[in-house]
């Protein structure tokens, strides 16, 4: 009975709020997805953070610093949304540190040059926006409201990345080459951010039924590719996919197959930087222990 009322609410586009009744599977599904999303935002600070001290100008440094701080803020909104489902921040961090909770595969790739800051903003934030715009309409109230705020900031992130790429393609031959090299390395991992094909995605069925996801992995991936190809053309960069071709009939681009072995390898902890990213997070968490202890002690004293 409860389940029927719940599904009717979902079907009539009403939001589910923290104190509403919800099936256990819905709660668990959300905790998994929102925590993966939060961890991605926080781990995602690492590949960009290391470039803050190497930014080529004060302007570039201020912009990158603001962007990386935004990602920390996104993580915090998302952890808060997740905590409304009855799990604590400590438990969420523990799941991450034990390797039980995932984070986006994209952040396990190294950032080798300044052009990578451009590629991340343009492609990674670009892909994140496509996904998150659709998640603004997700059925769980706190997640949906968090997404609305996050999307406003993500569009600035995408533009700062595209600006870096544009500037580099207008610079010296070497700078243009760096921009193309960054696109070559980040294109396929960005396409992988959308997850496996719909037919191989075990979570999509329930996610669509419960309106947690509003579009499938393949729909979002296609949308991203269709939007991004013209942007690459405009600044004279070439997408590294020999099978990329406009399909007049579908009104969309056809594109090549993702290397799914690489994808699963990275998702399962064996990408180029998985160990480094997790170890860095574990260390930062441990180093911050005294701050958490001090806050707890203060709260206890002023109860
Ligand atoms: N990486 O059945 P599905 C950002 C896992 S935010 C790692 O298709 P689902 C901002 C999946 O969890 C980026 N794991 O799953 C930023 C599942 O595992 P499980 C993060 C992946 O949930 C920019 C299994 O594979 N955004 O970048 C990936 O329906 C710059 C089967 O997959 C979000 O998290 C992957 N790429 O669809 C920050 C958005 N793909 O738990 C800093 C919210 C799949 O069953 C700098 N999340 N898996 O063992 C979502 O929309 C969905 O969770 C998907 C996956 C689309 C990621």
């Amino acid at each position: 009975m409860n389940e029927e009322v719940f599904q009717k609410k979902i079907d009539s586009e009403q939001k589910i709020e923290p104190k509403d009744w919800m099936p256990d599977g819905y709660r668990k599904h959300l905790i998994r997805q929102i925590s993966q999303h939060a961890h991605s935002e926080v781990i995602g600070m690492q590949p960009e953070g290391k470039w803050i001290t190497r930014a080529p100008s004060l302007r570039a440094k201020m912009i990158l610093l603001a962007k990386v701080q935004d990602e920390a803020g996104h993580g915090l909104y998302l952890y808060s949304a997740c905590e409304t489902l009855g799990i604590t921040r400590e438990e969420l961090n523990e799941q991450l540190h034990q390797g039980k909770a995932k984070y986006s595969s994209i952040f396990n790739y190294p950032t080798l040059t300044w052009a990578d800051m451009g590629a991340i903003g343009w492609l990674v934030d670009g892909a994140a926006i496509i996904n998150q715009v659709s998640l603004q309409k997700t059925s769980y109230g706190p997640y949906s409201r968090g997404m609305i705020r996050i999307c406003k900031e993500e569009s600035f992130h995408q533009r700062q990345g595209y600006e870096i790429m544009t500037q580099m393609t207008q610079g010296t031959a070497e700078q243009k080459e760096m921009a193309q090299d960054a696109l070559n390395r980040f294109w396929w991992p960005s396409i992988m951010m959308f997850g496996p094909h719909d037919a191989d995605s075990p979570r999509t069925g329930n996610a669509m039924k419960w309106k947690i996801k509003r579009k499938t992995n393949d729909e979002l991936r296609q949308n991203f590719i269709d939007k991004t190809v013209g942007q690459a053309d405009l600044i004279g960069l070439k997408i590294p996919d020999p099978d990329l071709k406009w399909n007049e009939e579908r009104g969309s681009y056809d594109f090549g197959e993702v290397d799914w072995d690489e994808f699963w390898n990275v998702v399962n902890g064996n990408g180029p930087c998985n160990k480094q990213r997790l170890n860095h997070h574990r260390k930062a968490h441990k180093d911050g222990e005294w701050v958490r202890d001090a806050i707890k002690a203060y709260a206890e004293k002023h109860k």
Side-chain angles (χ1 to χ4, degrees):
M1 179 60 191
N2 268 345
E3 199 126 354
E4 254 172 54
V5 174
F6 171 83
Q7 192 60 44
K8 270 205 185 117
K9 235 172 142 176
I10 299 265
D11 293 342
S12 62
E13 298 292 332
Q14 288 179 60
K15 295 282 180 239
I16 306 300
E17 296 298 338
K19 290 190 175 147
D20 294 347
W21 185 89
M22 60 185 86
D24 203 37
Y26 178 82
R27 187 184 297 279
K28 284 197 181 126
H29 193 115
L30 277 171
I31 290 177
R32 179 195 63 86
Q33 177 166 326
I34 302 175
S35 70
Q36 166 174 314
H37 198 162
H39 297 324
S40 304
E41 300 281 356
V42 170
I43 297 267
M45 290 194 284
Q46 291 184 40
E48 290 178 298
K50 79 170 216 186
W51 280 92
I52 292 172
T53 52
R54 304 171 196 182
S57 69
L58 184 58
R59 180 181 179 273
K61 184 172 179 148
M62 286 183 341
I63 294 172
L64 185 61
L65 194 59
K67 179 193 189 291
V68 173
Q69 284 177 342
D70 283 351
E71 309 300 0
H74 297 175
L76 295 182
Y77 303 155
L78 287 162
Y79 283 127
S80 298
C82 203
E83 284 175 289
T84 64
L85 291 157
I87 187 159
T88 65
R89 189 86 59 94
E90 287 75 21
E91 287 170 301
L92 294 170
N93 270 315
E94 223 171 272
Q95 288 177 358
L96 176 68
H97 293 161
Q98 288 171 355
K100 288 186 191 152
K102 296 187 165 74
Y103 59 88
S104 183
S105 50
I106 189 74
F107 301 117
N108 294 306
Y109 291 85
T111 43
L112 306 178
T113 72
W114 174 250
D116 291 7
M117 297 304 96
I120 289 186
W122 174 34
L123 302 173
V124 176
D125 286 274
I129 295 174
I130 299 270
N131 187 332
Q132 291 172 165
V133 162
S134 100
L135 285 174
Q136 289 181 119
K137 292 211 177 109
T138 193
S139 57
Y140 188 56
Y143 193 24
S144 160
R145 291 188 285 276
M147 282 298 110
I148 293 169
R149 287 187 71 166
I150 288 174
C151 281
K152 292 199 172 120
E153 292 171 350
E154 295 289 23
S155 53
F156 145 63
H157 297 172
Q158 195 270 353
R159 277 179 216 162
Q160 66 84 36
Y162 192 59
E163 185 193 73
I164 293 174
M165 291 307 250
T166 307
Q167 280 176 339
M168 294 194 78
T169 55
Q170 290 168 356
T172 62
E174 202 184 354
Q175 285 168 328
K176 185 162 184 190
E177 218 170 279
M178 275 166 73
Q180 181 64 54
D181 173 61
L183 170 58
N184 293 349
R185 284 181 289 106
F186 275 93
W187 176 253
W188 288 106
S190 302
I191 303 292
M192 293 175 196
M193 282 174 72
F194 296 97
H197 281 309
D198 297 348
D200 304 320
S201 160
R203 304 287 190 180
T204 291
N206 276 339
M208 297 297 282
K209 178 177 103 184
W210 288 327
K211 300 194 186 210
I212 292 174
K213 269 159 101 162
R214 308 302 305 237
K215 291 205 166 116
T216 68
N217 299 359
D218 284 329
E219 283 170 332
L220 293 168
R221 189 176 0 255
Q222 182 74 61
N223 193 347
F224 170 72
I225 291 171
D226 290 346
K227 278 210 165 74
T228 312
V229 174
Q231 295 168 3
D233 282 347
L234 197 65
I235 55 175
L237 291 179
K238 192 170 168 7
I239 306 267
D241 179 356
D243 297 322
L244 189 72
K245 199 167 166 252
W246 179 251
N247 183 323
E248 196 65 54
E249 214 170 288
R250 292 198 307 118
S252 266
Y253 282 92
D254 291 336
F255 53 95
E257 196 51 89
V258 167
D259 180 345
W260 294 111
D261 288 341
E262 175 181 327
F263 170 76
W264 288 116
N265 213 22
V266 177
V267 169
N268 291 323
N270 302 313
C273 300
N274 293 59
K275 286 186 185 67
Q276 180 187 330
R277 300 290 186 240
L278 260 189
N279 284 340
H280 184 90
H281 193 281
R282 286 191 189 106
K283 181 174 181 312
H285 191 69
K286 180 134 196 18
D287 290 350
E289 196 169 5
W290 69 272
V291 180
R292 294 190 297 279
D293 287 348
I295 292 170
K296 264 190 224 149
Y298 182 86
E300 196 59 38
K301 199 171 165 202
H302 293 88
K303 241 192 213 165

